[in-house]
């Protein structure tokens, strides 16, 4: 079975196992705006078991259970429910993610959006797909005609500055959207959105969409355009990641706006 076939199979099965409607959420210790549900643990256990059976030589890093392995070159990075707050509240804007790093480089990834019956897949050099249909690079170049997603978490010390950046964008684009989950990034992959930005994410939020968007022809960088690094893994697993993903015709425009909104990058 190819990697993409494996990802398609395991993500679809995980989506079918996910209880509908959310509920049962508890706040994570020390993170008042982050919640976890029983489903997060159940889906991560399922993904971990399937990966161990198919790729026993690979390591695994999960959001809920941490690192499992022997420092192999290849590591699967799992987010069992991205957008758990949305899921727990009954919102459909959440996803299930699995991405593969080899020597710190994202080489394959998959995202399921269970509420929409969609699975997005990509492998480095092989393109990106939604439900088997190849995604083509979006061609938008007019910021004023584009929808922009901007994720802001309430616990972030950067929240006030985030709203300043968001205001810079809101006055120049067609409108802001704030799903604050991988749903936003997949809307970018399809061309529905022109960009998606967030300054408070973790490695498990990033690896799978990183390879999907790049294979769809969309630049995926840090907030101020810097390259994103996942190496060394022990450092990356504890780090905060910022993201500015935007279609090629808009990424430079957005970077110019961000550079003008603050005298110093945070």
């Amino acid at each position: 079975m190819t990697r993409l076939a494996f990802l398609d199979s395991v993500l679809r099965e995980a989506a079918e196992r996910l209880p509908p409607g959310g509920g049962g959420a508890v706040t994570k210790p020390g993170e008042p705006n982050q919640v976890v549900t029983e489903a997060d643990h159940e889906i991560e256990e399922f993904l971990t078991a399937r990966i161990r059976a198919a790729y026993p030589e690979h390591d695994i890093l999960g959001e809920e259970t941490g690192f499992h392995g022997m420092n192999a070159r290849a590591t699967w990075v799992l987010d069992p429910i991205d957008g758990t707050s949305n899921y727990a509240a009954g919102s459909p804007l959440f996803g299930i993610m699995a991405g593969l790093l080899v020597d710190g480089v994202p080489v394959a990834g998959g995202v399921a959006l269970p509420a929409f019956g969609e699975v997005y897949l990509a492998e480095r050099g092989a393109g990106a797909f939604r439900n088997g249909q190849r995604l083509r690079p979006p061609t938008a170049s007019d910021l004023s005609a584009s929808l922009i997603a901007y994720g802001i978490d309430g616990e972030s010390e950067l929240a006030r500055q985030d709203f300043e950046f968001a205001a810079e964008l809101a006055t120049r684009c067609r409108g802001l959207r704030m799903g604050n989950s991988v749903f936003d990034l997949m809307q970018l992959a399809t061309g529905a959105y022109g960009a998606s930005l967030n300054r408070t994410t973790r490695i498990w939020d990033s690896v799978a969409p990183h390879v999907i968007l790049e294979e769809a022809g969309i630049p995926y960088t840090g907030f101020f355009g810097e390259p994103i690094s996942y190496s060394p893994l022990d450092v990356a697993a504890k780090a905060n990641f910022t993201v500015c993903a935007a279609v090629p015709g808009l990424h430079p425009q957005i970077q110019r706006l961000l550079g003008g909104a603050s005298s110093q990058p945070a």
Side-chain angles (χ1 to χ4, degrees):
M1 182 182 292
T2 67
R3 284 176 183 166
L4 292 189
F6 170 75
L7 279 166
D8 188 59
S9 173
V10 74
L11 289 170
R12 289 187 186 279
E13 187 172 349
E16 291 174 358
R17 287 170 172 260
L18 188 66
V26 297
T27 302
K28 290 187 174 182
E31 299 180 88
N33 288 88
Q34 296 294 318
V35 300
V36 63
T37 69
E38 290 184 4
D40 288 271
H41 291 283
E42 292 171 1
I43 296 302
E44 186 163 312
E45 289 174 5
F46 166 74
L47 294 173
T48 298
R50 285 290 303 272
I51 291 168
R52 281 176 170 164
Y55 300 97
E57 72 281 12
H58 290 182
D59 293 342
I60 299 172
L61 174 63
E63 177 180 7
E64 308 304 335
T65 59
F67 181 74
H68 309 272
M70 299 294 292
N71 297 312
R73 293 180 57 201
T75 302
W76 292 88
V77 182
L78 310 179
D79 192 340
I81 304 178
D82 183 70
T84 303
S85 296
N86 293 347
Y87 167 72
S91 165
L93 306 185
F94 63 89
I96 302 171
M97 299 197 286
L100 178 63
L101 294 172
V102 176
D103 295 331
V105 177
V107 299
V111 171
L113 300 183
F116 301 91
E118 295 179 343
V119 173
Y120 296 77
L121 303 168
E123 187 164 17
R124 185 71 60 188
F129 305 84
R130 176 179 64 172
N131 287 351
Q133 298 297 311
R134 182 180 287 271
L135 296 169
R136 302 297 179 184
T139 58
S141 59
D142 184 355
L143 186 59
S144 67
S146 300
L147 297 176
I148 305 297
Y150 199 122
I152 300 176
D153 280 324
E155 88 281 10
S156 171
E157 295 180 1
L158 305 176
R160 292 185 182 276
Q161 192 180 50
D162 276 326
F163 278 106
E164 295 177 5
F165 285 129
E168 289 288 328
L169 292 166
T171 58
R172 293 170 171 83
C173 70
R174 177 158 288 172
L176 287 183
R177 301 294 181 263
M178 292 186 173
N180 205 17
S181 76
V182 71
F183 172 84
D184 293 337
L185 290 166
M186 295 305 98
Q187 296 310 294
L188 173 58
T190 66
Y193 291 179
S196 182
L197 299 96
N198 198 311
R199 290 208 291 170
T200 52
T201 77
R202 301 294 299 276
I203 188 171
W204 37 79
D205 302 314
S206 192
V207 172
H210 190 156
V211 64
I212 291 171
L213 290 177
E214 287 195 339
E215 284 300 304
I218 298 169
Y220 190 99
T221 70
F223 195 81
F224 293 101
E226 67 275 20
I228 294 176
S229 173
Y230 303 105
S231 182
L233 185 61
D234 60 338
V235 174
K238 300 175 183 178
N240 177 71
F241 286 84
T242 68
V243 173
C244 175
V247 303
L250 298 180
H251 196 277
Q253 298 177 51
I254 291 172
Q255 284 300 304
R256 285 194 292 272
L257 287 175
L258 295 178
S262 174
S263 59
Q264 293 291 331

